[in-house]
Amino acid sequence: MATMTVPEAEVQSTPKSATKYVYFFGGGKADGNGKMKDELGGKGAGLAEMTNASLPVPPGFTIQTEACREYMRKGGVSNEVDRQMDAALSRLEQLQGQKLGKGENPLLVSVRSGAKFSMPGMMDTILNLGLNDQSVESLAKRSNNPRFAYDSYRRLIQMFGNVVLDVEKSAFDEVFDAKKKQRKAKLDTELDAKALKEVIAEYKKVVKKHTKHDFPQDAHEQLVMARDAVFRSWQNDRAKHYRRINNIDDMLGTAVNVQAMVFGNLGDTSGT
C-alpha cells in the first residue's frame, strides 16, 4: 500500500492547469504558427508565421485567447498566466540584452489586441510601454535626441491614460493645444524638448485628477494593467456592436501581443 501513496501524492501536487497561455516569437523561431488564429488571434498568428519564415520581426510574445476568456469568467487572470508572462518577458529581455523600463538602454514594448477576426477600433495600441521618469532620461541620452524621448513619453501617458485608465482623450488634447498656443507653434513638431517636458508634467496632473492615482512608474505594473485593459476592451460597446453586425461569437476572446518597440520616428531607415 505504501508504494501506492507516492504516485497518488504526486498526482495531487501536479498543477491542475497545464495550459500554454503565452507563445514566444523571436530569434528566428516562434512557439506558434500561422494556423493558430483561434489561440493567437490573426495578428499573433501572423507574427509567429513571419518569425518562422525568418523575416526580421521584432521579438515578443502573444498571450492567447483562453486567458481572455478566463478573465471574462473570473474577472481576472490566474497566477499561471502571470507566471508564464513573466517568464516570456525575461526571455525577451535576455534576447534583447535589455530590461523593461530599466538601465541605460531600457526595453520598451508595444501592447496590442488581436482577435481571430479583424475588429478595427476594438482597442487602441499602447506604444512605448516601459517609459517612466527614469527611463525617459536613459532614452534621451542613448538616442542623443531628448525631444524624441520626451515626445515618446508624453505619447505613452496619453495612450495609457486613455486606453487603460479611461481618461478622455480630449483632456490631454486640451493640454497639448494650450502648450502649442503658448509657444506659438502651428505644428506638433515645433514643440521642443523643454515644452514637451512641461506637457508631460501637465499630463501627469490630468491622470491624477481623473483617476486619483499617479501615473504608474513601475514598468511591470504598466504591462499588467495594459494586458488587462486589452482583455476588458473585448467587452466594450464598440467591440460588442461590431461583433453583432458581423456575427462574431462573443466567447472567442482576444489575444494580447507584446512586442519590442521599433521607432519609425528616429530616422529615415526604419520601415515601421
Side-chain angles (χ1 to χ4, degrees), residues 24-30 51 57-61 87-100 105 107 258-260:
F24 193 84
F25 56 90
K29 56 183 185 293
T51 301
V57 177
F61 53 88
L89 178 60
S90 294
R91 192 173 163 191
L92 179 60
E93 289 175 333
Q94 211 169 354
L95 186 65
Q96 292 291 93
Q98 297 170 293
K99 286 276 185 194
L100 183 68
N105 182 19
L107 172 67
V258 178
Q259 195 173 14

Side-chain angles (χ1 to χ4, degrees), residues 132-144:
N132 55 31
D133 293 352
Q134 272 77 48
S135 58
V136 71
E137 300 302 334
S138 300
L139 185 64
K141 199 172 173 183
R142 188 167 181 88
S143 65
N144 204 21

Side-chain angles (χ1 to χ4, degrees), residues 59-77:
F61 53 88
T62 301
I63 304 168
Q64 70 129 312
T65 54
E66 178 57 28
C68 180
R69 290 190 288 275
E70 283 184 17
Y71 186 93
M72 287 190 281
R73 286 197 299 267
K74 301 172 183 174
V77 301

Side-chain angles (χ1 to χ4, degrees), residues 79-269:
N79 292 337
E80 185 59 19
V81 174
D82 281 332
R83 190 192 68 73
Q84 290 187 27
M85 184 182 82
D86 289 347
L89 178 60
S90 294
R91 192 173 163 191
L92 179 60
E93 289 175 333
Q94 211 169 354
L95 186 65
Q96 292 291 93
Q98 297 170 293
K99 286 276 185 194
L100 183 68
K102 289 178 185 165
E104 290 176 12
N105 182 19
L107 172 67
L108 306 178
V109 296
S110 62
V111 179
R112 294 178 169 93
S113 61
K116 180 181 180 180
F117 302 106
S118 178
M119 292 178 57
M122 186 177 90
M123 181 205 156
D124 300 310
T125 298
I126 298 165
L127 302 175
N128 311 324
L129 190 140
L131 279 176
N132 55 31
D133 293 352
Q134 272 77 48
S135 58
V136 71
E137 300 302 334
S138 300
L139 185 64
K141 199 172 173 183
R142 188 167 181 88
S143 65
N144 204 21
N145 190 341
R147 192 203 173 277
F148 155 74
Y150 299 130
D151 191 44
S152 298
Y153 191 21
R154 72 99 187 159
R155 286 169 188 270
L156 168 66
I157 298 171
Q158 180 171 332
M159 281 185 265
F160 194 95
N162 178 231
V163 176
V164 180
L165 303 174
D166 292 325
V167 180
E168 285 294 331
K169 193 171 174 287
S170 57
F172 296 108
D173 289 340
E174 281 168 22
V175 168
F176 199 71
D177 291 341
K179 184 57 66 180
K180 279 168 70 176
K181 197 173 176 184
Q182 185 199 344
R183 292 298 183 99
K184 296 182 172 56
K186 282 193 171 67
L187 303 171
D188 294 1
T189 48
E190 289 171 10
L191 290 181
D192 61 11
K194 185 173 181 292
L196 289 169
K197 276 181 97 167
E198 291 164 4
V199 169
I200 288 165
E202 291 297 319
Y203 274 10
K204 285 184 188 169
K205 287 179 190 168
V206 169
V207 169
K208 180 86 173 186
K209 180 186 168 188
H210 286 81
T211 68
K212 306 291 184 281
H213 294 285
D214 291 319
F215 178 79
Q217 291 293 308
D218 183 278
H220 188 269
E221 185 188 352
Q222 291 177 8
L223 180 58
V224 169
M225 291 173 76
R227 174 198 69 193
D228 292 354
V230 173
F231 290 152
R232 282 199 305 276
S233 75
W234 178 255
Q235 294 287 64
N236 71 27
D237 291 338
R238 263 187 316 182
K240 283 181 180 172
H241 186 63
Y242 186 88
R243 288 199 295 274
R244 267 201 305 276
I245 293 170
N246 293 280
N247 292 319
I248 297 171
D249 186 350
D250 278 340
M251 285 314 294
L252 283 176
T254 180
V256 179
N257 297 291
V258 178
Q259 195 173 14
M261 279 293 298
V262 174
F263 298 100
N265 53 347
L266 247 184
D268 299 328
T269 55

